[in-house]
Amino acid sequence: MNTPSESNGESRIAQWEKAAAKSAPGGRLEDLNWRTPDGITVKPLYTGEDVQGLPHADTLPGFPPYVRGPQATMYAVRPWTIRQYAGFSTAQESNAFYRQALAAGGQGVSVAFDLATHRGYDSDHPRVTGDVGKAGVAIDSVEDMKILFDQIPLDKVSVSMTMNGAVLPVLAGYIVAAQEQGVKLEQLSGTIQNDILKEFMVRNTYIYPPEPSMRIIGDIIAYTAEHMPKFNSISISGYHMQEAGANQALELAFTLADGKEYVKTAMSKGLDVDAFAGRLSFFWAIGMNFYLEIAKMRAARLLWCQIMQGFGAKNPKSWMLRTHCQTSGWSLTEQDPYNNIVRTTVEAMAAVFGGTQSLHTNSFDEAIALPTEFSARIARNTQLIIQEETHITKVIDPWAGSYMMEKLTQDMADEAWKIIQEVEAMGGMTKAVDSGWAKLKIEAAAADKQARIDSGQDVIVGVNKYKLATEDVVQTRDIDNVKVREAQIEQLLAIKAKRDTTKVKAALAALTQAAQDQTGNLLALSVEAIRLRATVGEVSDALEMVFGRHRADTQKVTGVYAAAYDEGSTDGDSMAYWDQLKADIASFAQDQGRRPRVMIAKLGQDGHDRGAKVVATAFADLGFDVDMGPLFQTPEECARQAIENDVHAVGVSTLAAGHKTLVPEIIKALKAQGAEEIIVFVGGVIPRQDYDFLYSAGVKGIYGPGTPIPVSARGVLTHIQQALASH
């Protein structure tokens, strides 16, 4: 066996460098380095020299700064909690799913609410006709919440609720449902997300502006600190940032900066930091960047310990970062979807090696529709197999001591800290969010990533390489939105008929007064209103009277998508396609006297706008005139704006399963307003079995996940030309 040895005055590393350079492209060893989207250089080989002097390299699990995990024994004694994030249709159907999942090995309940609930609307509100029960469970009152947790003992089963906008009535509904189940507040365990700053950046299920939203967070932290000692009052979430396009360093930095802001808010209420910090938790996305995801989680614990000590926290529990993780939904592909089982497994392994406290694994069909029981079982069993069959849990932090991982952990911490310092210089995360700066940073990263995929620089198996000639249709779950909404409205009418209306009005008036006067605790007052059978919408409206409803600016980045092509693609065909398309758009402008004009729209309460923003950026870089419709439009409002802006086409981005209701409505509205020449195209999460329905409704083009944007742009240009020729 030939191994390098100290000879001829050369070190073993120098000898390796010479040998490796011979195999490297152009004979240059640096060409083997990988420059990550985060700006971190990852070398092909690490040695002991790379970890010399690293302050965390010789630490132990369960001890500050907790790089190796918050608990001394980690999974060797207690594996992570297996969760399944789910919710659809009615409370009855979701309850049946939860009970089945718990019986099959699930260890906690994670609730997904529909978009109407998120945005504080009851199911009978005219703005949510296409959203009720589609992308989560519809909750209008405590009666729905009681059904949701029927036969699930809330003193034993922890509950995680992804809720930020309507956080007061939803958390109040959970509290009242538990009490009416006979459970005491101090017995409740679980987490409410309650992370509104992230909503203003990416997910957009906010209701009120930033300042009153921060007051709500402070009131929830104060109430739970006093009454619910086992309940996590906030889950500071990077998940939706990465899903919206953030790289790992941005996700890490912005999430910890959000955490700092929430700690400041709670302390401004007069709370001692050690009274609540131990109940803060975090939530990370885990994507396909395997090494960086592990390093991100280790770096997060390192930095959070440092941040909390800076706040003067004395209790070691206040220094610990505890986290839930979820595998990426964005990495899932519509094309060749069974590949998603492999992707989710790899991501789950990264979460486990990173030291998560609980984990949700996505189902392979979630790029197409809501998961079926079949796909959900595979997702759940992925975790069970890792826990029960691999013996990974026998070793605490197996990556410790890896030259590469220890250096990458420090590099990730350093990169994130630079961004955190930038945020601090702006006056904190609330100001960074309010200015739009943070959102634009994420959108630029999203556009860059999509361009790298479309140009062939980043490989997605089954999408831009190793593609199937034909795709099999995958069976999907379909929700009858009309039926669910009718059932919810019937339940609402029944509740309002039985309750004491005078007492409900008084409780709602007390909420409005407390909001106006800056007095009282808004969660405590919401609990009393919900107990009297006030609805989610009524509680939200009572606060909106004072706080107002937030309206976001629709900015878009420019030039980022085109830069990936300008810098040179690894795929010559993609580059030629791009150049020819730009030339054809320029010719259109010359012939027509103006550029092709499109409006990119989000209809209903679906605030997931990554796809819409990336498409808008790319179309603009190609030469289209692009208008962005505001979030949460009705089809009628969208049609009116399209006509006023004199567009050739409207592109509807849909990720919340409302396409069968909302898309035909906009086509109908355009015709009713005498503008049938404006074509409609659709992109997003749409099952293939729904394509014919949409085409028969008048849609001209459907572009599902994985469609290269230049291909969709070519299709839209062709349809515009055909429409002009026929009119």
Side-chain angles (χ1 to χ4, degrees):
M1 184 170 75
N2 296 320
T3 57
S5 59
E6 302 287 344
S7 62
N8 302 321
E10 285 190 328
S11 69
R12 290 183 300 161
I13 293 172
Q15 292 175 64
W16 173 84
E17 287 174 345
K18 278 187 177 179
K22 290 178 183 177
S23 304
R28 288 159 39 91
L29 189 60
E30 54 265 35
D31 288 343
L32 294 177
N33 289 342
W34 169 41
R35 181 79 169 169
T36 75
D38 315 68
I40 295 169
T41 298
V42 179
K43 302 189 300 181
L45 181 73
Y46 287 80
T47 68
E49 291 181 3
D50 291 294
V51 297
Q52 285 180 4
L54 292 186
H56 70 266
D58 193 29
T59 60
L60 291 168
F63 291 86
Y66 306 107
V67 174
R68 301 190 62 185
Q71 306 301 330
T73 52
M74 289 301 288
Y75 308 144
V77 169
R78 183 184 175 189
W80 65 94
T81 301
I82 297 172
R83 291 192 180 276
Q84 201 131 27
Y85 178 55
F88 48 85
S89 185
T90 61
Q92 289 93 333
E93 286 202 44
S94 295
N95 171 262
F97 182 93
Y98 298 150
R99 285 163 55 194
Q100 184 180 44
L102 290 167
Q107 296 156 347
V109 171
S110 292
V111 183
F113 298 96
D114 74 356
L115 290 167
T117 305
H118 273 289
R119 297 267 294 143
Y121 293 116
D122 286 335
S123 297
D124 59 358
H125 198 285
R127 298 195 76 87
V128 299
T129 53
D131 297 300
V132 177
K134 288 298 273 186
V137 59
I139 298 292
D140 290 319
S141 74
V142 69
E143 293 299 330
D144 289 326
M145 200 67 90
K146 287 175 72 174
I147 294 166
L148 191 68
F149 297 118
D150 182 42
Q151 297 181 59
I152 296 174
L154 295 178
D155 55 340
K156 296 181 176 66
V157 176
S158 70
V159 175
S160 170
M161 292 178 285
T162 300
M163 177 53 64
N164 303 283
V167 63
L168 287 171
V170 166
L171 181 54
Y174 164 74
I175 288 168
V176 174
Q179 288 176 325
E180 294 187 6
Q181 201 184 82
V183 178
K184 296 176 181 176
L185 287 182
E186 57 267 28
Q187 294 176 292
L188 293 174
S189 65
T191 304
I192 186 80
Q193 192 165 96
N194 193 26
D195 176 8
I196 202 64
L197 288 175
K198 168 262 300 177
E199 297 296 326
F200 294 118
M201 273 189 278
V202 289
R203 191 161 169 260
N204 301 311
T205 55
Y206 44 69
I207 300 176
Y208 315 112
E211 192 175 331
S213 295
M214 293 299 286
R215 177 193 168 183
I216 289 168
I217 285 170
D219 281 3
I220 289 171
I221 292 173
Y223 182 95
T224 53
E226 182 180 354
H227 301 292
M228 300 163 70
K230 293 167 65 179
F231 196 84
N232 297 325
S233 54
I234 191 166
S235 174
I236 306 155
S237 173
Y239 182 86
H240 301 100
M241 296 181 201
Q242 188 180 140
E243 289 290 279
N247 56 43
Q248 281 75 17
L250 271 177
E251 179 195 5
L252 175 57
F254 285 170
T255 306
L256 296 184
D258 281 352
K260 288 184 72 174
E261 203 82 344
Y262 297 139
V263 171
K264 289 177 195 172
T265 299
M267 291 176 73
S268 73
K269 291 271 182 186
L271 289 173
D272 179 80
V273 65
D274 286 317
F276 66 86
R279 303 316 308 168
L280 303 179
S281 69
F282 287 78
F283 176 24
W284 305 114
I286 304 295
M288 287 297 288
N289 208 329
F290 186 76
Y291 296 138
L292 260 63
E293 292 293 6
I294 299 169
K296 177 187 76 182
M297 294 174 69
R298 300 173 96 245
R301 291 191 289 269
L302 174 70
L303 291 177
W304 189 245
C305 181
Q306 178 182 320
I307 287 167
M308 292 310 295
Q309 287 173 339
F311 276 115
K314 301 290 191 297
N315 188 336
K317 288 187 177 179
S318 300
W319 307 338
M320 295 178 188
L321 183 149
R322 289 160 293 269
T323 193
H324 171 69
C325 290
Q326 182 173 338
T327 60
S328 174
W330 183 83
S331 70
L332 305 179
T333 64
E334 177 191 39
Q335 295 87 346
D336 208 356
Y338 291 104
N339 289 341
N340 295 333
I341 297 171
V342 181
R343 292 186 179 102
T344 296
T345 303
V346 170
E347 292 166 353
M349 294 279 278
V352 169
F353 283 136
T356 190
Q357 277 61 69
S358 69
L359 177 61
H360 164 80
T361 32
N362 284 333
S363 300
F364 74 84
D365 52 358
E366 288 188 55
I368 305 167
L370 289 168
T372 61
E373 289 182 15
F374 169 73
S375 65
R377 179 171 167 270
I378 293 172
R380 186 169 57 249
N381 285 351
T382 299
Q383 291 196 58
L384 289 169
I385 289 165
I386 295 172
Q387 256 188 27
E388 304 283 354
E389 296 187 25
T390 65
H391 304 290
I392 284 171
T393 58
K394 304 297 184 189
V395 178
I396 304 161
D397 189 23
W399 281 91
S402 157
Y403 299 142
M404 179 274 295
M405 188 53 69
E406 298 293 9
K407 180 64 166 62
L408 201 53
T409 297
Q410 189 63 52
D411 288 345
M412 182 63 71
D414 291 343
E415 195 64 32
W417 191 250
K418 279 193 287 188
I419 300 168
I420 291 171
Q421 296 294 84
E422 232 181 312
V423 170
E424 286 298 302
M426 297 176 76
M429 204 61 192
T430 302
K431 290 187 177 175
V433 168
D434 212 22
S435 70
W437 172 82
K439 188 176 182 69
L440 286 174
K441 291 278 282 186
I442 292 173
E443 288 173 5
D448 177 66
K449 176 64 177 176
Q450 189 61 51
R452 292 179 64 83
I453 293 169
D454 290 348
S455 65
Q457 294 175 70
D458 288 358
V459 172
I460 308 294
V461 173
V463 175
N464 62 2
K465 201 171 183 181
Y466 314 113
K467 293 186 280 190
L468 287 174
T470 57
E471 297 276 353
D472 293 333
V473 173
V474 175
Q475 291 303 118
T476 58
R477 186 190 295 274
D478 188 36
I479 303 297
D480 186 339
N481 164 244
V482 174
K483 184 178 176 184
V484 174
R485 188 164 184 262
E486 286 173 353
Q488 289 298 119
I489 291 171
E490 188 178 332
Q491 169 98 314
L492 274 168
L493 291 171
I495 290 164
K496 289 178 180 180
K498 292 177 186 174
R499 70 189 187 180
D500 187 325
T501 304
T502 303
K503 287 184 178 179
V504 171
K505 284 183 177 178
L508 293 171
L511 254 178
T512 302
Q513 194 65 47
Q516 181 73 57
D517 298 344
Q518 296 281 320
T519 57
N521 184 290
L522 296 178
L523 177 56
L525 290 164
S526 297
V527 168
E528 292 315 306
I530 290 290
R531 196 187 312 281
L532 293 165
R533 272 39 186 184
T535 68
V536 168
E538 288 171 334
V539 169
S540 299
D541 288 346
L543 296 170
E544 189 181 335
M545 288 172 66
V546 177
F547 296 154
R549 195 169 268 267
H550 181 66
R551 299 283 186 270
D553 292 331
T554 52
Q555 304 174 51
K556 62 178 183 291
V557 296
T558 57
V560 175
Y561 186 93
Y565 285 88
D566 294 341
E567 290 165 7
S569 165
T570 56
D571 181 348
D573 291 341
S574 295
M575 194 70 200
Y577 193 96
W578 172 266
D579 289 339
Q580 184 60 55
L581 181 55
K582 285 183 74 174
D584 291 346
I585 291 168
S587 294
F588 177 99
Q590 192 170 8
D591 294 343
Q592 297 292 327
R594 67 172 180 139
R595 296 189 289 178
R597 190 178 190 96
V598 300
M599 175 179 162
I600 306 299
K602 296 288 297 183
L603 302 179
Q605 301 305 305
D606 174 14
H608 295 83
D609 62 353
R610 173 182 183 158
K613 289 292 184 70
V614 170
V615 168
T617 295
F619 273 47
D621 287 353
L622 278 163
F624 284 83
D625 274 333
V626 180
D627 298 318
M628 283 293 301
L631 290 171
F632 315 123
Q633 281 188 312
T634 64
E636 293 74 21
E637 290 166 345
C638 180
R640 197 177 314 123
Q641 184 182 351
I643 293 166
E644 288 170 357
N645 291 9
D646 194 20
V647 303
H648 295 104
V650 174
V652 178
S653 171
T654 174
L655 278 86
H659 52 274
K660 289 174 76 173
T661 303
L662 296 170
V663 174
E665 286 297 317
I666 188 172
I667 294 170
K668 210 182 296 179
L670 286 168
K671 285 181 180 174
Q673 296 178 48
E676 60 252 34
E677 75 280 1
I678 296 177
I679 69 164
V680 174
F681 62 99
V682 185
V685 178
I686 304 167
R688 286 191 177 271
Q689 45 268 54
D690 290 352
Y691 280 24
D692 287 344
F693 172 87
L694 293 175
Y695 283 132
S696 65
V699 170
K700 295 300 181 186
I702 302 172
Y703 308 104
T707 305
I709 292 178
V711 171
S712 63
R714 168 65 70 189
V716 171
L717 180 64
T718 300
H719 287 303
I720 290 172
Q721 290 168 326
Q722 290 170 348
L724 288 171
S726 64
H727 284 83

